[in-house]
mmCIF file of all heavy atoms in Angstrom:
data_model
loop_
_atom_site.group_PDB
_atom_site.id
_atom_site.type_symbol
_atom_site.label_atom_id
_atom_site.label_comp_id
_atom_site.label_asym_id
_atom_site.label_seq_id
_atom_site.Cartn_x
_atom_site.Cartn_y
_atom_site.Cartn_z
ATOM 1 N N TYR A 18 95.743 -59.253 239.582
ATOM 2 C CA TYR A 18 96.561 -58.155 239.046
ATOM 3 C C TYR A 18 96.753 -57.130 240.160
ATOM 4 O O TYR A 18 95.823 -56.855 240.919
ATOM 5 C CB TYR A 18 95.857 -57.487 237.851
ATOM 6 C CG TYR A 18 96.530 -56.219 237.368
ATOM 7 C CD1 TYR A 18 97.495 -56.258 236.372
ATOM 8 C CD2 TYR A 18 96.197 -54.974 237.924
ATOM 9 C CE1 TYR A 18 98.114 -55.092 235.937
ATOM 10 C CE2 TYR A 18 96.817 -53.811 237.494
ATOM 11 C CZ TYR A 18 97.770 -53.881 236.503
ATOM 12 O OH TYR A 18 98.400 -52.726 236.082
ATOM 13 N N VAL A 19 97.966 -56.549 240.244
ATOM 14 C CA VAL A 19 98.254 -55.525 241.253
ATOM 15 C C VAL A 19 99.103 -54.418 240.631
ATOM 16 O O VAL A 19 100.127 -54.690 239.990
ATOM 17 C CB VAL A 19 99.015 -56.096 242.473
ATOM 18 C CG1 VAL A 19 99.254 -54.990 243.503
ATOM 19 C CG2 VAL A 19 98.280 -57.255 243.104
ATOM 20 N N SER A 20 98.683 -53.183 240.832
ATOM 21 C CA SER A 20 99.550 -52.037 240.552
ATOM 22 C C SER A 20 99.288 -50.971 241.604
ATOM 23 O O SER A 20 98.235 -50.971 242.255
ATOM 24 C CB SER A 20 99.315 -51.476 239.142
ATOM 25 O OG SER A 20 98.068 -50.813 239.052
ATOM 26 N N THR A 21 100.241 -50.083 241.787
ATOM 27 C CA THR A 21 100.105 -49.028 242.786
ATOM 28 C C THR A 21 100.261 -47.662 242.125
ATOM 29 O O THR A 21 100.773 -47.546 241.015
ATOM 30 C CB THR A 21 101.141 -49.166 243.913
ATOM 31 O OG1 THR A 21 102.461 -49.023 243.351
ATOM 32 C CG2 THR A 21 101.025 -50.518 244.603
ATOM 33 N N ARG A 22 99.811 -46.637 242.827
ATOM 34 C CA ARG A 22 99.829 -45.284 242.272
ATOM 35 C C ARG A 22 101.117 -44.537 242.589
ATOM 36 O O ARG A 22 101.392 -43.486 242.004
ATOM 37 C CB ARG A 22 98.618 -44.509 242.814
ATOM 38 C CG ARG A 22 98.278 -43.251 242.063
ATOM 39 C CD ARG A 22 96.954 -42.674 242.507
ATOM 40 N NE ARG A 22 96.958 -42.271 243.918
ATOM 41 C CZ ARG A 22 95.893 -41.765 244.544
ATOM 42 N NH1 ARG A 22 94.758 -41.625 243.901
ATOM 43 N NH2 ARG A 22 95.963 -41.419 245.819
ATOM 44 N N ASP A 23 101.904 -45.072 243.519
ATOM 45 C CA ASP A 23 103.127 -44.390 243.935
ATOM 46 C C ASP A 23 104.150 -45.421 244.381
ATOM 47 O O ASP A 23 103.829 -46.568 244.693
ATOM 48 C CB ASP A 23 102.834 -43.399 245.064
ATOM 49 C CG ASP A 23 102.104 -44.057 246.233
ATOM 50 O OD1 ASP A 23 102.774 -44.726 247.034
ATOM 51 O OD2 ASP A 23 100.869 -43.920 246.328
ATOM 52 N N SER A 24 105.401 -44.999 244.397
ATOM 53 C CA SER A 24 106.498 -45.915 244.717
ATOM 54 C C SER A 24 106.468 -46.340 246.186
ATOM 55 O O SER A 24 106.878 -47.459 246.515
ATOM 56 C CB SER A 24 107.844 -45.261 244.388
ATOM 57 O OG SER A 24 107.973 -44.000 245.026
ATOM 58 N N TRP A 25 105.974 -45.472 247.079
ATOM 59 C CA TRP A 25 105.898 -45.828 248.499
ATOM 60 C C TRP A 25 105.016 -47.059 248.699
ATOM 61 O O TRP A 25 105.377 -47.984 249.434
ATOM 62 C CB TRP A 25 105.352 -44.654 249.311
ATOM 63 C CG TRP A 25 105.255 -44.897 250.796
ATOM 64 C CD1 TRP A 25 104.177 -45.364 251.489
ATOM 65 C CD2 TRP A 25 106.286 -44.703 251.777
ATOM 66 N NE1 TRP A 25 104.457 -45.459 252.834
ATOM 67 C CE2 TRP A 25 105.745 -45.059 253.037
ATOM 68 C CE3 TRP A 25 107.600 -44.245 251.711
ATOM 69 C CZ2 TRP A 25 106.492 -44.967 254.210
ATOM 70 C CZ3 TRP A 25 108.332 -44.154 252.884
ATOM 71 C CH2 TRP A 25 107.786 -44.517 254.113
ATOM 72 N N THR A 26 103.871 -47.096 248.031
ATOM 73 C CA THR A 26 102.953 -48.224 248.177
ATOM 74 C C THR A 26 103.514 -49.473 247.517
ATOM 75 O O THR A 26 103.336 -50.589 248.023
ATOM 76 C CB THR A 26 101.573 -47.868 247.591
ATOM 77 O OG1 THR A 26 101.123 -46.639 248.176
ATOM 78 C CG2 THR A 26 100.553 -48.965 247.879
ATOM 79 N N SER A 27 104.221 -49.311 246.408
ATOM 80 C CA SER A 27 104.876 -50.457 245.772
ATOM 81 C C SER A 27 105.919 -51.060 246.709
ATOM 82 O O SER A 27 106.009 -52.287 246.863
ATOM 83 C CB SER A 27 105.543 -50.021 244.458
ATOM 84 O OG SER A 27 106.149 -51.110 243.817
ATOM 85 N N GLU A 28 106.686 -50.204 247.361
ATOM 86 C CA GLU A 28 107.688 -50.677 248.329
ATOM 87 C C GLU A 28 107.015 -51.342 249.526
ATOM 88 O O GLU A 28 107.527 -52.325 250.078
ATOM 89 C CB GLU A 28 108.555 -49.504 248.776
ATOM 90 C CG GLU A 28 109.476 -48.972 247.686
ATOM 91 C CD GLU A 28 110.067 -47.611 248.028
ATOM 92 O OE1 GLU A 28 109.907 -47.159 249.186
ATOM 93 O OE2 GLU A 28 110.681 -46.991 247.131
ATOM 94 N N MET A 29 105.863 -50.826 249.941
ATOM 95 C CA MET A 29 105.104 -51.418 251.040
ATOM 96 C C MET A 29 104.675 -52.846 250.704
ATOM 97 O O MET A 29 104.827 -53.760 251.517
ATOM 98 C CB MET A 29 103.873 -50.551 251.337
ATOM 99 C CG MET A 29 102.859 -51.180 252.275
ATOM 100 S SD MET A 29 101.483 -50.033 252.592
ATOM 101 C CE MET A 29 100.191 -51.175 253.084
ATOM 102 N N PHE A 30 104.151 -53.055 249.491
ATOM 103 C CA PHE A 30 103.719 -54.393 249.096
ATOM 104 C C PHE A 30 104.906 -55.353 248.992
ATOM 105 O O PHE A 30 104.805 -56.521 249.372
ATOM 106 C CB PHE A 30 102.962 -54.323 247.766
ATOM 107 C CG PHE A 30 101.504 -53.995 247.918
ATOM 108 C CD1 PHE A 30 101.077 -53.039 248.825
ATOM 109 C CD2 PHE A 30 100.549 -54.637 247.158
ATOM 110 C CE1 PHE A 30 99.733 -52.728 248.983
ATOM 111 C CE2 PHE A 30 99.203 -54.347 247.295
ATOM 112 C CZ PHE A 30 98.791 -53.388 248.206
ATOM 113 N N ALA A 31 106.020 -54.861 248.471
ATOM 114 C CA ALA A 31 107.219 -55.695 248.382
ATOM 115 C C ALA A 31 107.694 -56.100 249.774
ATOM 116 O O ALA A 31 108.094 -57.251 250.003
ATOM 117 C CB ALA A 31 108.319 -54.947 247.637
ATOM 118 N N TYR A 32 107.625 -55.171 250.709
ATOM 119 C CA TYR A 32 108.051 -55.437 252.086
ATOM 120 C C TYR A 32 107.133 -56.461 252.749
ATOM 121 O O TYR A 32 107.606 -57.417 253.381
ATOM 122 C CB TYR A 32 108.042 -54.128 252.869
ATOM 123 C CG TYR A 32 108.457 -54.238 254.319
ATOM 124 C CD1 TYR A 32 109.805 -54.293 254.679
ATOM 125 C CD2 TYR A 32 107.500 -54.276 255.339
ATOM 126 C CE1 TYR A 32 110.186 -54.382 256.010
ATOM 127 C CE2 TYR A 32 107.867 -54.364 256.674
ATOM 128 C CZ TYR A 32 109.210 -54.426 257.003
ATOM 129 O OH TYR A 32 109.576 -54.519 258.326
ATOM 130 N N ILE A 33 105.830 -56.269 252.600
ATOM 131 C CA ILE A 33 104.864 -57.152 253.254
ATOM 132 C C ILE A 33 104.924 -58.571 252.694
ATOM 133 O O ILE A 33 104.789 -59.552 253.436
ATOM 134 C CB ILE A 33 103.441 -56.570 253.106
ATOM 135 C CG1 ILE A 33 103.295 -55.327 253.994
ATOM 136 C CG2 ILE A 33 102.363 -57.598 253.476
ATOM 137 C CD1 ILE A 33 102.023 -54.549 253.758
ATOM 138 N N THR A 34 105.147 -58.684 251.382
ATOM 139 C CA THR A 34 105.140 -60.008 250.729
ATOM 140 C C THR A 34 106.540 -60.611 250.617
ATOM 141 O O THR A 34 106.723 -61.632 249.955
ATOM 142 C CB THR A 34 104.527 -59.922 249.328
ATOM 143 O OG1 THR A 34 105.352 -59.086 248.500
ATOM 144 C CG2 THR A 34 103.105 -59.368 249.373
ATOM 145 N N HIS A 35 107.525 -59.977 251.240
ATOM 146 C CA HIS A 35 108.915 -60.467 251.191
ATOM 147 C C HIS A 35 109.402 -60.607 249.748
ATOM 148 O O HIS A 35 110.082 -61.573 249.383
ATOM 149 C CB HIS A 35 109.046 -61.803 251.931
ATOM 150 C CG HIS A 35 108.554 -61.757 253.346
ATOM 151 N ND1 HIS A 35 109.280 -61.182 254.373
ATOM 152 C CD2 HIS A 35 107.389 -62.192 253.904
ATOM 153 C CE1 HIS A 35 108.589 -61.266 255.505
ATOM 154 N NE2 HIS A 35 107.438 -61.881 255.244
ATOM 155 N N GLY A 36 109.023 -59.625 248.927
ATOM 156 C CA GLY A 36 109.513 -59.580 247.554
ATOM 157 C C GLY A 36 108.716 -60.397 246.552
ATOM 158 O O GLY A 36 109.040 -60.388 245.354
ATOM 159 N N LYS A 37 107.674 -61.083 247.013
ATOM 160 C CA LYS A 37 106.886 -61.908 246.069
ATOM 161 C C LYS A 37 106.025 -61.035 245.149
ATOM 162 O O LYS A 37 105.716 -61.429 244.034
ATOM 163 C CB LYS A 37 105.987 -62.885 246.840
ATOM 164 C CG LYS A 37 106.728 -63.901 247.707
ATOM 165 C CD LYS A 37 105.804 -64.994 248.196
ATOM 166 C CE LYS A 37 104.691 -64.509 249.112
ATOM 167 N NZ LYS A 37 105.148 -64.014 250.418
ATOM 168 N N CYS A 38 105.614 -59.870 245.642
ATOM 169 C CA CYS A 38 104.780 -58.950 244.854
ATOM 170 C C CYS A 38 105.428 -57.567 244.882
ATOM 171 O O CYS A 38 105.442 -56.906 245.926
ATOM 172 C CB CYS A 38 103.360 -58.887 245.415
ATOM 173 S SG CYS A 38 102.277 -57.695 244.568
ATOM 174 N N VAL A 39 105.999 -57.176 243.742
ATOM 175 C CA VAL A 39 106.588 -55.839 243.605
ATOM 176 C C VAL A 39 105.809 -55.136 242.493
ATOM 177 O O VAL A 39 106.153 -55.237 241.319
ATOM 178 C CB VAL A 39 108.087 -55.909 243.266
ATOM 179 C CG1 VAL A 39 108.692 -54.500 243.242
ATOM 180 C CG2 VAL A 39 108.828 -56.796 244.265
ATOM 181 N N PRO A 40 104.731 -54.438 242.843
ATOM 182 C CA PRO A 40 103.829 -53.913 241.818
ATOM 183 C C PRO A 40 104.445 -52.823 240.957
ATOM 184 O O PRO A 40 105.280 -52.034 241.401
ATOM 185 C CB PRO A 40 102.661 -53.342 242.634
ATOM 186 C CG PRO A 40 102.790 -53.943 243.993
ATOM 187 C CD PRO A 40 104.247 -54.168 244.202
ATOM 188 N N GLU A 41 103.999 -52.784 239.716
ATOM 189 C CA GLU A 41 104.320 -51.676 238.826
ATOM 190 C C GLU A 41 103.581 -50.436 239.312
ATOM 191 O O GLU A 41 102.459 -50.521 239.812
ATOM 192 C CB GLU A 41 103.876 -52.014 237.403
ATOM 193 C CG GLU A 41 104.144 -50.919 236.383
ATOM 194 C CD GLU A 41 103.592 -51.244 235.009
ATOM 195 O OE1 GLU A 41 102.867 -52.257 234.877
ATOM 196 O OE2 GLU A 41 103.868 -50.469 234.069
ATOM 197 N N VAL A 42 104.207 -49.273 239.179
ATOM 198 C CA VAL A 42 103.549 -48.009 239.514
ATOM 199 C C VAL A 42 102.831 -47.506 238.266
ATOM 200 O O VAL A 42 103.445 -47.345 237.206
ATOM 201 C CB VAL A 42 104.561 -46.966 240.019
ATOM 202 C CG1 VAL A 42 103.869 -45.645 240.309
ATOM 203 C CG2 VAL A 42 105.271 -47.479 241.277
ATOM 204 N N THR A 43 101.526 -47.292 238.391
ATOM 205 C CA THR A 43 100.693 -46.936 237.240
ATOM 206 C C THR A 43 99.899 -45.653 237.515
ATOM 207 O O THR A 43 99.741 -45.247 238.665
ATOM 208 C CB THR A 43 99.721 -48.091 236.910
ATOM 209 O OG1 THR A 43 98.992 -48.446 238.093
ATOM 210 C CG2 THR A 43 100.477 -49.299 236.375
ATOM 211 N N PRO A 44 99.368 -45.028 236.458
ATOM 212 C CA PRO A 44 98.729 -43.715 236.623
ATOM 213 C C PRO A 44 97.394 -43.760 237.344
ATOM 214 O O PRO A 44 96.662 -44.748 237.292
ATOM 215 C CB PRO A 44 98.516 -43.241 235.171
ATOM 216 C CG PRO A 44 99.460 -44.056 234.353
ATOM 217 C CD PRO A 44 99.549 -45.382 235.042
ATOM 218 N N ASP A 45 97.083 -42.654 237.990
ATOM 219 C CA ASP A 45 95.734 -42.391 238.472
ATOM 220 C C ASP A 45 94.828 -42.247 237.244
ATOM 221 O O ASP A 45 95.216 -41.640 236.242
ATOM 222 C CB ASP A 45 95.735 -41.098 239.288
ATOM 223 C CG ASP A 45 94.396 -40.784 239.919
ATOM 224 O OD1 ASP A 45 93.468 -40.411 239.168
ATOM 225 O OD2 ASP A 45 94.261 -40.901 241.146
ATOM 226 N N PRO A 46 93.595 -42.791 237.275
ATOM 227 C CA PRO A 46 92.710 -42.708 236.107
ATOM 228 C C PRO A 46 92.353 -41.297 235.655
ATOM 229 O O PRO A 46 91.910 -41.118 234.517
ATOM 230 C CB PRO A 46 91.466 -43.472 236.563
ATOM 231 C CG PRO A 46 91.971 -44.439 237.584
ATOM 232 C CD PRO A 46 93.054 -43.688 238.313
ATOM 233 N N VAL A 47 92.535 -40.296 236.516
ATOM 234 C CA VAL A 47 92.266 -38.920 236.094
ATOM 235 C C VAL A 47 93.229 -38.495 234.991
ATOM 236 O O VAL A 47 92.913 -37.602 234.194
ATOM 237 C CB VAL A 47 92.308 -37.958 237.302
ATOM 238 C CG1 VAL A 47 92.219 -36.495 236.860
ATOM 239 C CG2 VAL A 47 91.154 -38.264 238.252
ATOM 240 N N PHE A 48 94.379 -39.147 234.882
ATOM 241 C CA PHE A 48 95.304 -38.867 233.785
ATOM 242 C C PHE A 48 94.722 -39.269 232.430
ATOM 243 O O PHE A 48 95.307 -38.951 231.392
ATOM 244 C CB PHE A 48 96.636 -39.587 234.004
ATOM 245 C CG PHE A 48 97.594 -38.847 234.896
ATOM 246 C CD1 PHE A 48 97.872 -39.310 236.173
ATOM 247 C CD2 PHE A 48 98.226 -37.689 234.467
ATOM 248 C CE1 PHE A 48 98.761 -38.636 237.008
ATOM 249 C CE2 PHE A 48 99.111 -37.008 235.284
ATOM 250 C CZ PHE A 48 99.383 -37.480 236.558
ATOM 251 N N ALA A 49 93.587 -39.950 232.426
ATOM 252 C CA ALA A 49 92.920 -40.336 231.174
ATOM 253 C C ALA A 49 91.492 -39.812 231.109
ATOM 254 O O ALA A 49 90.698 -40.280 230.294
ATOM 255 C CB ALA A 49 92.927 -41.857 231.032
ATOM 256 N N PHE A 50 91.157 -38.838 231.943
ATOM 257 C CA PHE A 50 89.759 -38.414 232.034
ATOM 258 C C PHE A 50 89.234 -37.849 230.721
ATOM 259 O O PHE A 50 88.103 -38.156 230.309
ATOM 260 C CB PHE A 50 89.558 -37.388 233.153
ATOM 261 C CG PHE A 50 88.110 -37.151 233.462
ATOM 262 C CD1 PHE A 50 87.458 -37.937 234.394
ATOM 263 C CD2 PHE A 50 87.370 -36.174 232.793
ATOM 264 C CE1 PHE A 50 86.101 -37.763 234.666
ATOM 265 C CE2 PHE A 50 86.022 -35.985 233.053
ATOM 266 C CZ PHE A 50 85.386 -36.785 233.993
ATOM 267 N N ASN A 51 90.010 -37.019 230.054
ATOM 268 C CA ASN A 51 89.520 -36.408 228.812
ATOM 269 C C ASN A 51 89.271 -37.460 227.737
ATOM 270 O O ASN A 51 88.351 -37.318 226.927
ATOM 271 C CB ASN A 51 90.509 -35.358 228.309
ATOM 272 C CG ASN A 51 90.607 -34.166 229.251
ATOM 273 O OD1 ASN A 51 89.762 -33.965 230.109
ATOM 274 N ND2 ASN A 51 91.662 -33.382 229.089
ATOM 275 N N GLN A 52 90.073 -38.498 227.725
ATOM 276 C CA GLN A 52 89.847 -39.608 226.800
ATOM 277 C C GLN A 52 88.586 -40.385 227.163
ATOM 278 O O GLN A 52 87.799 -40.761 226.293
ATOM 279 C CB GLN A 52 91.054 -40.560 226.822
ATOM 280 C CG GLN A 52 90.813 -41.903 226.144
ATOM 281 C CD GLN A 52 91.900 -42.911 226.451
ATOM 282 O OE1 GLN A 52 92.936 -42.916 225.798
ATOM 283 N NE2 GLN A 52 91.675 -43.769 227.445
ATOM 284 N N ASN A 53 88.386 -40.613 228.455
ATOM 285 C CA ASN A 53 87.334 -41.524 228.902
ATOM 286 C C ASN A 53 85.970 -40.870 229.100
ATOM 287 O O ASN A 53 84.937 -41.507 228.875
ATOM 288 C CB ASN A 53 87.748 -42.189 230.228
ATOM 289 C CG ASN A 53 88.958 -43.099 230.071
ATOM 290 O OD1 ASN A 53 89.318 -43.489 228.959
ATOM 291 N ND2 ASN A 53 89.587 -43.438 231.189
ATOM 292 N N ALA A 54 85.945 -39.618 229.546
ATOM 293 C CA ALA A 54 84.665 -39.072 230.010
ATOM 294 C C ALA A 54 84.482 -37.576 229.761
ATOM 295 O O ALA A 54 83.665 -36.931 230.432
ATOM 296 C CB ALA A 54 84.495 -39.363 231.502
ATOM 297 N N ALA A 55 85.181 -37.007 228.799
ATOM 298 C CA ALA A 55 85.098 -35.555 228.574
ATOM 299 C C ALA A 55 83.686 -35.090 228.222
ATOM 300 O O ALA A 55 83.330 -33.930 228.460
ATOM 301 C CB ALA A 55 86.064 -35.136 227.462
ATOM 302 N N GLU A 56 82.879 -35.995 227.704
ATOM 303 C CA GLU A 56 81.531 -35.604 227.273
ATOM 304 C C GLU A 56 80.634 -35.168 228.432
ATOM 305 O O GLU A 56 79.599 -34.528 228.224
ATOM 306 C CB GLU A 56 80.862 -36.754 226.508
ATOM 307 C CG GLU A 56 80.614 -38.016 227.305
ATOM 308 C CD GLU A 56 81.816 -38.953 227.345
ATOM 309 O OE1 GLU A 56 82.897 -38.569 226.834
ATOM 310 O OE2 GLU A 56 81.671 -40.065 227.891
ATOM 311 N N VAL A 57 81.009 -35.496 229.682
ATOM 312 C CA VAL A 57 80.167 -35.113 230.831
ATOM 313 C C VAL A 57 80.480 -33.698 231.316
ATOM 314 O O VAL A 57 79.769 -33.170 232.179
ATOM 315 C CB VAL A 57 80.338 -36.101 232.008
ATOM 316 C CG1 VAL A 57 80.081 -37.532 231.562
ATOM 317 C CG2 VAL A 57 81.717 -35.967 232.665
ATOM 318 N N LEU A 58 81.525 -33.077 230.786
ATOM 319 C CA LEU A 58 81.969 -31.778 231.292
ATOM 320 C C LEU A 58 81.150 -30.641 230.682
ATOM 321 O O LEU A 58 80.747 -30.704 229.520
ATOM 322 C CB LEU A 58 83.450 -31.569 230.964
ATOM 323 C CG LEU A 58 84.414 -32.578 231.585
ATOM 324 C CD1 LEU A 58 85.829 -32.359 231.047
ATOM 325 C CD2 LEU A 58 84.409 -32.479 233.110
ATOM 326 N N PRO A 59 80.915 -29.580 231.454
ATOM 327 C CA PRO A 59 80.211 -28.409 230.908
ATOM 328 C C PRO A 59 81.107 -27.648 229.945
ATOM 329 O O PRO A 59 82.332 -27.813 229.956
ATOM 330 C CB PRO A 59 79.914 -27.574 232.157
ATOM 331 C CG PRO A 59 81.024 -27.920 233.103
ATOM 332 C CD PRO A 59 81.312 -29.385 232.858
ATOM 333 N N THR A 60 80.517 -26.815 229.111
ATOM 334 C CA THR A 60 81.321 -25.971 228.234
ATOM 335 C C THR A 60 82.005 -24.886 229.059
ATOM 336 O O THR A 60 81.533 -24.514 230.143
ATOM 337 C CB THR A 60 80.458 -25.305 227.160
ATOM 338 O OG1 THR A 60 79.539 -24.394 227.796
ATOM 339 C CG2 THR A 60 79.686 -26.343 226.351
ATOM 340 N N LYS A 61 83.103 -24.365 228.512
ATOM 341 C CA LYS A 61 83.837 -23.317 229.216
ATOM 342 C C LYS A 61 82.960 -22.087 229.431
ATOM 343 O O LYS A 61 82.924 -21.510 230.527
ATOM 344 C CB LYS A 61 85.087 -22.942 228.427
ATOM 345 C CG LYS A 61 85.950 -21.888 229.114
ATOM 346 C CD LYS A 61 87.223 -21.608 228.332
ATOM 347 C CE LYS A 61 88.091 -20.581 229.066
ATOM 348 N NZ LYS A 61 89.360 -20.316 228.334
#
């Protein structure tokens, strides 16, 4: 499985693989931090 965090890196992979791998651009995991790990955070 391959995905990239930005379009520049997706274009890089497409260039290197001659179009065989054009990855989807997907979120950084911090975009899901409150869902995944909010319990580790201190109170305000």
Side-chain angles (χ1 to χ4, degrees):
Y18 171 91
V19 181
S20 71
T21 63
R22 196 171 63 182
D23 53 79
S24 54
W25 181 267
T26 307
S27 181
E28 291 166 9
M29 169 178 157
F30 275 41
Y32 180 81
I33 289 171
T34 64
H35 305 283
K37 298 192 296 292
C38 176
V39 185
E41 179 185 8
V42 178
T43 53
D45 184 288
V47 172
F48 276 109
F50 192 89
N51 294 344
Q52 167 193 276
N53 295 343
E56 64 275 6
V57 306
L58 298 173
T60 65
K61 182 177 182 179

